[in-house]
Amino acid sequence: MSDITGPPIARVDVVRDVHHGITLDDAYRWMEADGEEFHRWLDGQASHAREQLDTLPRREELLTRIRELGGALPQYSNFTPAGDSIFYLAREPDARVPVLMVREPEGASRVLFDPDTVPGEAHHAIDWYVPSPDGRHIACAVFPSGSEESTIQVIDAGSGAILETIPPTTRFAFLSWLEDGRSFVYHRFLEPPAGAPPEQRRLDSRSFLHRLGTDPAQDQVVLARGLNPHVELTPRDRPFLVVPPHGEWMLAIVSHGALGPWTSEQLSDCSLYVAPRAALADPATCPWRKVAGVADGVTAFATSHDTLYLVSHRDAPRSHVLAVALAVPDLSRARVVVPAGERVVEAVRVVGDRLLVRDLDGGVHRVRHAPLSGGEPVDLPMPVEGAIWEWTTHPERPEALLLAAGWTDAPRLYRYDGETLEDTGLTPRSPVDFGGVHARILHVPARDGTQIPLTVIHRKDLELNGDNPALLTGYGSHGVTDLPWFRPEMLAWYERGGVYAMAHLRGGGAYGREWHEAGRGPRKEATITDFIDCAEHLIALGYTRPGRLAGEGVSAGGIPTGGALVRRPELWAAMAMQVPTVNATRIEFSENGPINVPEFGSVATSDGLRGLLIADAYLRVEDGVPYPAVLLTTGRRDARVPPWQPAKLAARLQAATASGRPVLLRVEEHGGHGAGSTREQEHTLLADVLAFLLHAFEGSR
């Protein structure tokens, strides 16, 4: 790799902080101001990285193969039944971004909305969509350039016409239609005051009621701090309203921390309230009753007409399912309908007179069902050893759709009718042959004796000769589970003898709440050492060696990868870190930072600071250390991890490393945290990463 001119040098201007008697020196704090100087420097880094990556010897052949593999299979997702139709997102091989489709009762499909037709310099993508229960209207969120600042378009399902537009302050809208099919509730952030610091730009968010045909600026506030004395809210809390398709009740979910993409599962640090939906007529006096608080450990729920089913890890680290009457939502009187066991209970759905239960069992999903009237849940035969990536119930019929996939199995859509799972045939079979690829789960003894699951994927004829190119990835935060997913483009790696390994780190959700807590806050060191121990295990078994080993982390995956980089630089030939969190002691001062305090901690407390210092790779970089080759990425419009996070680490490593190996900062000009990327952006990124790693491996021989 040519490195003649070198990247632009960042100005050093040390800012010294003292927290709880600990002094922290920050050489590049000025980058956080996001000013003109930073963007000029970022431009220079982007040009330098692009020049270097474009000259890598294997990049073009990798990109050609990745395009071929990635374009061989249409991508169908987000299946949602409503009325007599099925709605879904589809990205055909020649499409840049997914379009919204509807499948009519007679079996014909048509495009309802193509975000690529939205005018503007940048590309647009669909963030999410929600059809009304009768299927006549669709609320569809659209955002530009990966920004995740969505505008809601209300679409007529019959004609495809856009009926209304709600302006772009609707990130995390969690929209819920009312029974009339002409009104909905949704969450929205307020426009921040001019000059507000980043950490104050998302405070005091609210949920609103919108009726079709009315001005969105006049939408009624239905949940907000100070509106109703029965719902306790801090400025940081986010209040969401959930209105089930039928019944007399509605729920309020107050999120005290970071959330996933749903309000019915993967909850963390939330409080739940119940009220009659008729009381929505007067939000200020609505008689909300609190069902559960943070200490009750509710992570998922579902409702029937009169019962609330809660997945809770209180007194059950791998969770159980409780049932409580909506009319008397007293958790002390709840009955256990699915007891705790060896599996992790993740989520539930009500389908007619049945309760569907999704479990995590050793890294793969299982599904059980039981009558609502009672009885031991029975396993449904699973069509694939993998994951249920989607499951949606019909608002009016006793059926559900489940999208299942595995590491070597392309996604297939199944229908549950109350008894069995049946392939719908709505998803195409993959022409990409993974018959020669093998996936298996190992169990790695960590340094404290804990067994860490490690999924390893490679060609079946791979020789364990210690010389294979290997890429180890991991996340280990927010209780998120790393599930099997089919990526046909990765065949370009396996064909070259590559090993891909996924470490199911503590801090994630592989074994439920106890696994999450074991790598959270002050216990974050376990997340990092688990990653290192998995790397050493791959070497010990003969999969690879340090000169042929790379690490990869995305977003909070920057914590284990960054931690392993600065603790054990000699263990790696390269490290690829995409939109990573690497300066943890400063993340709470970013726009997305406050809601992550429950997960990572705050410098305001000694325990919080201790956890953040464990996770902060940037502050641990030392001058004169021979660091491996490092590729960092960011998106100009990243709303989750600001560009200054990877930028500060890039600047520090470029100044400190003694190895002579490259440290590149790749900048996606029209991109964000990854959501809404075009197919070509995805393919180019993967080609850049794999080519960078292979070149680093050659240089370390």
Side-chain angles (χ1 to χ4, degrees):
M1 179 181 292
S2 171
D3 209 6
I4 298 173
T5 59
I9 298 172
R11 173 172 61 89
V12 173
D13 184 5
V14 176
V15 173
R16 178 163 292 170
D17 293 328
V18 179
H19 299 289
H20 310 288
I22 298 174
T23 300
L24 308 179
D25 287 345
D26 187 347
Y28 303 107
R29 177 73 58 82
W30 61 268
M31 293 185 177
E32 297 180 25
D34 199 35
E36 183 179 343
E37 180 186 4
F38 174 59
H39 284 280
R40 283 199 309 268
W41 180 85
L42 204 60
D43 288 341
Q45 290 284 334
S47 297
H48 173 73
R50 191 68 270 153
E51 175 186 298
Q52 300 301 298
L53 292 168
D54 284 345
T55 61
L56 291 173
R58 290 185 177 83
R59 183 184 178 277
E60 284 307 311
E61 67 181 69
L62 275 165
L63 182 56
T64 298
R65 182 59 172 150
I66 287 167
R67 284 170 173 162
E68 179 185 14
L69 294 166
L73 180 67
Q75 298 174 352
Y76 297 161
S77 63
N78 295 73
F79 290 91
T80 306
D84 294 324
S85 303
I86 296 175
F87 301 89
Y88 61 100
L89 299 182
R91 182 160 67 176
E92 299 297 333
D94 59 347
R96 292 205 304 168
V97 293
V99 302
L100 177 61
M101 303 285 295
V102 58
R103 185 177 179 87
E104 309 284 15
E106 64 274 9
S109 294
R110 57 185 171 88
V111 176
L112 268 181
F113 177 72
D114 181 354
D116 228 8
T117 62
V118 176
E121 275 186 41
H123 71 275
H124 288 72
I126 295 172
D127 189 6
W128 48 262
Y129 76 91
V130 183
S132 60
D134 59 12
R136 294 177 57 195
H137 300 110
I138 302 97
C140 182
V142 184
F143 61 90
S145 296
S147 67
E148 299 183 70
E149 288 286 355
S150 297
T151 295
I152 297 177
Q153 311 275 19
V154 181
I155 302 168
D156 181 273
S159 65
I162 296 175
L163 304 177
E164 298 184 9
T165 298
I166 295 178
T169 54
T170 53
R171 190 184 306 160
F172 307 112
F174 293 121
L175 184 145
S176 189
W177 286 90
L178 304 188
E179 279 186 296
D180 62 7
R182 296 194 56 80
S183 52
F184 53 77
V185 291
Y186 68 105
H187 174 262
R188 193 167 81 195
F189 289 103
L190 301 179
E191 191 68 34
E199 67 270 23
Q200 294 181 16
R201 293 175 188 168
R202 296 196 196 174
L203 301 182
D204 284 321
S205 64
R206 304 174 176 186
S207 279
F208 294 82
L209 170 65
H210 178 72
R211 293 182 174 86
L212 300 190
T214 63
D215 181 359
Q218 303 302 316
D219 285 350
Q220 182 182 18
V221 178
V222 291
L223 272 179
R225 185 165 71 97
L227 176 66
N228 186 301
H230 302 296
V231 180
E232 302 171 23
L233 291 166
T234 69
R236 188 182 68 192
D237 291 338
R238 294 172 296 175
F240 306 116
L241 192 62
V242 176
V243 183
H246 299 289
E248 301 175 4
W249 305 95
M250 60 182 179
L251 292 90
I253 301 169
V254 177
S255 169
H256 307 293
L259 275 184
W262 302 281
T263 52
S264 60
E265 60 182 83
Q266 295 187 18
L267 304 178
S268 180
D269 301 305
C270 286
S271 298
L272 273 72
Y273 298 79
V274 170
R277 69 173 65 190
L280 195 59
D282 188 355
T285 63
C286 179
W288 290 106
R289 295 185 60 177
K290 190 172 184 178
V291 183
V294 173
D296 295 305
V298 172
T299 57
F301 69 87
T303 61
S304 65
H305 283 273
D306 57 4
T307 304
L308 176 63
Y309 297 90
L310 301 171
V311 177
S312 166
H313 56 70
R314 184 172 184 175
D315 303 323
R318 298 193 181 183
S319 296
H320 51 191
V321 182
L322 308 174
V324 60
L326 284 163
V328 189
D330 182 353
L331 208 56
S332 67
R333 300 170 62 179
R335 57 189 174 91
V336 177
V337 292
V338 179
E342 287 300 309
R343 300 177 183 176
V344 177
V345 180
E346 283 197 328
V348 289
R349 289 284 188 273
V350 173
V351 184
D353 62 357
R354 296 272 180 163
L355 184 69
L356 271 183
V357 183
R358 192 183 74 224
D359 302 323
L360 184 64
D361 182 17
V364 298
H365 276 150
R366 310 289 181 200
V367 177
R368 294 180 283 171
H369 63 162
L372 292 180
S373 57
E376 185 72 20
V378 176
D379 279 337
L380 285 167
M382 293 302 297
V384 63
E385 282 287 300
I388 303 297
W389 279 94
E390 300 173 14
W391 63 341
T392 53
T393 58
H394 196 288
E396 298 172 345
R397 301 173 188 164
E399 62 182 51
L401 297 176
L402 293 83
L403 188 70
W407 292 114
T408 60
D409 297 285
R412 304 290 297 168
L413 185 69
Y414 298 86
R415 176 179 284 107
Y416 171 73
D417 60 4
E419 296 294 335
T420 60
L421 292 175
E422 178 184 345
D423 194 332
T424 64
L426 294 181
T427 45
R429 297 195 176 276
S430 174
V432 179
D433 184 9
F434 266 67
V437 178
H438 174 74
R440 60 182 299 211
I441 296 180
L442 309 177
H443 288 87
V444 176
R447 59 195 64 189
D448 64 358
T450 304
Q451 296 292 308
I452 311 300
L454 176 67
T455 300
V456 183
I457 311 160
H458 53 76
R459 279 189 343 213
K460 291 178 179 177
D461 60 357
L462 186 83
E463 292 185 34
L464 299 184
N465 57 12
D467 200 41
N468 302 300
L471 178 57
L472 173 66
T473 188
Y475 187 78
S477 288
H478 298 291
V480 171
T481 304
D482 305 297
L483 295 170
W485 181 245
F486 183 73
R487 292 183 68 191
E489 300 91 341
M490 283 301 293
L491 192 59
W493 180 248
Y494 305 134
E495 290 170 339
R496 287 162 173 76
V499 175
Y500 183 74
M502 171 73 75
H504 305 276
L505 309 169
R506 280 176 282 187
Y511 293 114
R513 183 64 172 189
E514 57 190 349
W515 201 252
H516 180 199
E517 288 294 332
R520 192 182 194 191
R523 295 171 292 281
K524 204 67 192 165
E525 190 73 32
T527 304
I528 299 167
T529 56
D530 286 353
F531 193 74
I532 294 170
D533 293 344
C534 285
E536 292 183 324
H537 195 70
L538 288 173
I539 294 168
L541 292 180
Y543 281 99
T544 191
R545 57 182 174 83
R548 304 277 279 168
L549 175 64
E552 178 194 48
V554 179
S555 191
I559 294 174
T561 50
L565 170 71
V566 296
R567 286 165 174 79
R568 294 290 305 279
E570 81 289 349
L571 188 58
W572 316 92
M575 195 67 76
M577 304 164 69
Q578 300 174 34
V579 294
T581 297
V582 289
N583 184 197
T585 53
R586 293 296 299 168
I587 196 67
E588 69 183 286
F589 302 104
S590 66
E591 188 171 337
N592 201 44
I595 62 168
N596 282 289
V597 167
E599 177 68 20
F600 298 128
S602 169
V603 297
T605 69
S606 57
D607 277 352
L609 177 62
R610 182 156 52 92
L612 292 170
L613 287 172
I614 291 169
D616 198 312
Y618 165 70
L619 292 179
R620 288 175 176 255
V621 176
E622 298 180 9
D623 292 329
V625 173
Y627 290 103
V630 178
L631 175 62
L632 293 145
T633 79
T634 188
R636 290 274 192 180
R637 304 190 68 174
D638 195 333
R640 297 174 186 253
V641 177
W644 55 258
Q645 279 271 328
K648 289 170 73 173
L649 181 61
R652 185 71 185 96
L653 285 171
Q654 288 169 355
T657 186
S659 68
R661 296 184 179 181
V663 175
L664 301 183
L665 178 58
R666 182 190 189 276
V667 181
E668 192 70 68
E669 185 66 26
H670 297 290
H673 202 61
S677 296
T678 67
R679 188 188 294 271
E680 184 61 15
Q681 285 176 324
E682 294 170 354
H683 290 171
T684 301
L685 174 60
L686 181 58
D688 286 347
V689 169
L690 297 185
F692 182 85
L693 301 185
L694 290 174
H695 190 73
F697 296 159
E698 289 296 324
S700 64
R701 281 190 179 276

